[in-house]
Amino acid sequence: MAKSLLFVLVIGMSLASFSNGQSTNTTPSVTTDNTTYNSGSGACRDCAIRNGIGYNPHLECDKFIQCNFVRNGNLAGFEIKQCGFGTFWDQTLLTCNFIGQVHCPNDPCINGTVSSYKTSGNCAEHYMCTNRVSQAKLCSSGYAYKNGQCVIDTDCNKDAPPKNCCLRCKFAAIRNDPCFFNWQTNGRTYKMPCPPGTAYDIDACGCITAAYTSCAAVCKPIVHIDFETAEPGEYDNYGAVRQNGQAYFNGNSSIRILRLSNVDFRSRISIYVKYRPEFPDQTTQQAVVSNSDCDKPSTIAIIANGQSTEFLAKSVSRSAQTLNTNSSTVWKEIVYEIKSGTFSGQDGLQRDVTQFAGLLEVSPCAFQLGHGNRLNSFRGWIEYVIITRCDDDPFNSTTTTTKPSGIGGA
């Protein structure tokens, strides 16, 4: 295997929500328990728990905090872990993720005063600042990165993995399955996926980029709620009535998806929602989906207005843009999409589209169904909502997302 390709060591990858994809059709199982975890104060406070292990971000983008618990749920201690070269910790996915997929507010390049730096990797590996974002770089053969530049160093082998990477390696290869590896920690073994485009390498003690690998990306939605099978833990329900695979909103009810607060979608998001207004002839703006539950205007919204559906998106640098579709169908099957510099809204066969410049403005508020700041609350039924960054149509049979039962009914 060519070690000259970027070394990417993936530690603590989420088994449940790695939206950039698991590498095969086999989905690793998630250990579930009813233990009450006491993370106390300090580094592990409010840590996210997966498989009995807690995770918190570190002040340095390429590190994270792993919190270890004893059987009764009390904190036993924590460790500071180093992500592999070319990756930052992604607290949303609970994995070391490629830098281009992670928005880290502590990126050394953000303030514009740093041109290059080094935190991990071998003698040739370093980071350059491009447009105030870190990019992984390699010095040429026979050169090492020192004091902000690549200098001649005949002892530097850029093909070698970082020093000490393999001491007491906790990652074991799985025979005939390079897309996964076994992570052995605290007396347990977890089957973990490598990111798409990488494969596990026993010499590197981690996942490295590999041109030959057949590991394919399987993109999963960030949110997939259908009211036939969705568990209450996916959202907080404030008065919406679930019945016959739908949720009814009476104008004073709402559903909040709190984990979508402060999510940076940047310039890519797709929302699929199917709704039916109770009074389709009533022309008042009613919030079907919005990201405003904290007295701030929505930056993303789908709005029912009689037979019309309105779509709203606000970028960091521009005022809010709106689109409009109009159809006489009873059930509105809506697709809200921002990608490749365009903003589009679709209701069945009706579609409106415009150019979208810049990045979506991040909202500190949670996503909501049925309610939105400065909008009337929704009266009617919602059958499903799917929020994703994936390229694929989530209802395509070749993807991992299945269409909720009942979709397509009048």
Side-chain angles (χ1 to χ4, degrees):
M1 181 177 298
K3 298 296 193 306
S4 60
L5 298 171
L6 292 182
F7 171 78
V8 183
L9 174 59
V10 180
I11 299 176
M13 187 170 296
S14 167
L15 299 182
S17 59
F18 185 65
S19 70
N20 285 327
Q22 262 113 0
S23 303
T24 70
N25 293 328
T26 302
T27 302
S29 60
V30 178
T31 302
T32 59
D33 60 52
N34 296 317
T35 305
T36 300
Y37 293 94
N38 177 21
S39 58
S41 59
C44 289
R45 183 175 182 179
D46 298 326
C47 61
I49 307 292
R50 290 292 184 275
N51 295 322
I53 298 172
Y55 300 97
N56 261 343
H58 190 272
L59 288 176
E60 297 179 36
C61 297
D62 63 347
K63 294 180 174 64
F64 66 96
I65 298 167
Q66 177 186 304
C67 304
N68 302 314
F69 296 88
V70 293
R71 286 189 177 275
N72 63 6
N74 288 327
L75 181 67
F78 68 89
E79 302 173 71
I80 296 175
K81 298 284 190 176
Q82 174 72 56
C83 288
F85 176 70
T87 66
F88 281 172
W89 176 249
D90 189 328
Q91 183 67 11
T92 300
L93 303 180
L94 299 183
T95 180
C96 296
N97 199 356
F98 295 109
I99 288 178
Q101 302 295 321
V102 181
H103 173 66
C104 177
N106 297 324
D107 187 335
C109 293
I110 283 180
N111 61 19
T113 61
V114 176
S115 59
S116 67
Y117 66 96
K118 183 176 183 64
T119 61
S120 63
N122 65 24
C123 53
E125 295 169 339
H126 61 284
Y127 295 98
M128 294 290 292
C129 296
T130 304
N131 297 324
R132 301 195 175 190
V133 176
S134 295
Q135 290 193 347
K137 296 292 183 181
L138 274 173
C139 291
S140 301
S141 181
Y143 286 78
Y145 180 83
K146 295 179 182 179
N147 301 320
Q149 57 185 329
C150 292
V151 297
I152 295 175
D153 185 344
T154 56
D155 293 328
C156 178
N157 179 7
K158 70 180 181 66
D159 293 341
K163 292 181 179 179
N164 301 324
C165 80
C166 303
L167 295 180
R168 299 177 62 188
C169 181
K170 295 183 179 181
F171 309 126
I174 300 175
R175 187 175 180 180
N176 298 324
D177 193 356
C179 298
F180 290 84
F181 61 93
N182 283 329
W183 178 28
Q184 300 160 340
T185 180
N186 292 339
R188 296 181 181 180
T189 299
Y190 303 103
K191 186 177 180 181
M192 312 296 280
C194 285
T198 71
Y200 184 77
D201 180 74
I202 193 169
D203 294 328
C205 185
C207 301
I208 68 171
T209 55
Y212 71 83
T213 183
S214 60
C215 307
V218 178
C219 189
K220 291 189 175 183
I222 303 167
V223 168
H224 182 184
I225 298 172
D226 70 271
F227 296 101
E228 185 74 45
T229 60
E231 297 180 2
E234 294 184 76
Y235 52 81
D236 292 323
N237 190 343
Y238 297 87
V241 179
R242 286 180 55 182
Q243 189 175 15
N244 299 325
Q246 301 160 5
Y248 171 70
F249 297 79
N250 64 6
N252 291 307
S253 50
S254 66
I255 282 176
R256 295 181 181 180
I257 310 171
L258 298 176
R259 62 193 177 90
L260 291 188
S261 304
N262 280 307
V263 173
D264 186 358
F265 291 101
R266 301 182 75 77
S267 56
R268 187 176 197 83
I269 183 175
S270 298
I271 304 174
Y272 300 79
V273 61
K274 183 177 180 180
Y275 78 91
R276 174 182 177 178
E278 186 168 14
F279 303 108
D281 296 329
Q282 190 176 70
T283 55
T284 59
Q285 288 187 316
Q286 300 179 21
V288 178
V289 180
S290 75
N291 64 343
S292 60
D293 74 331
C294 57
D295 297 325
K296 293 184 180 296
S298 302
T299 63
I300 297 170
I302 297 173
I303 304 162
N305 190 353
Q307 297 287 4
S308 298
T309 301
E310 299 174 8
F311 306 81
L312 178 145
K314 186 181 185 306
S315 71
V316 173
S317 57
R318 298 179 60 179
S319 58
Q321 295 176 255
T322 58
L323 302 174
N324 186 284
T325 60
N326 189 299
S327 74
S328 58
T329 57
V330 176
W331 281 96
K332 313 289 186 181
E333 295 196 66
I334 302 302
V335 181
Y336 173 114
E337 193 164 63
I338 295 176
K339 70 175 184 178
S340 304
T342 62
F343 170 35
S344 65
Q346 186 168 336
D347 176 4
L349 299 178
Q350 304 296 317
R351 186 170 185 261
D352 193 8
V353 62
T354 188
Q355 295 297 308
F356 187 82
L359 304 177
L360 274 165
E361 184 175 307
V362 177
S363 172
C365 309
F367 267 70
Q368 292 189 106
L369 307 182
H371 182 76
N373 187 37
R374 302 181 188 178
L375 295 166
N376 293 304
S377 293
F378 178 63
R379 289 185 66 102
W381 296 265
I382 295 178
E383 188 167 294
Y384 64 83
V385 61
I386 298 170
I387 302 175
T388 179
R389 292 192 183 100
C390 304
D391 284 327
D392 299 324
D393 180 342
F395 302 140
N396 188 313
S397 60
T398 62
T399 66
T400 58
T401 306
T402 57
K403 197 168 187 177
S405 60
I407 289 178

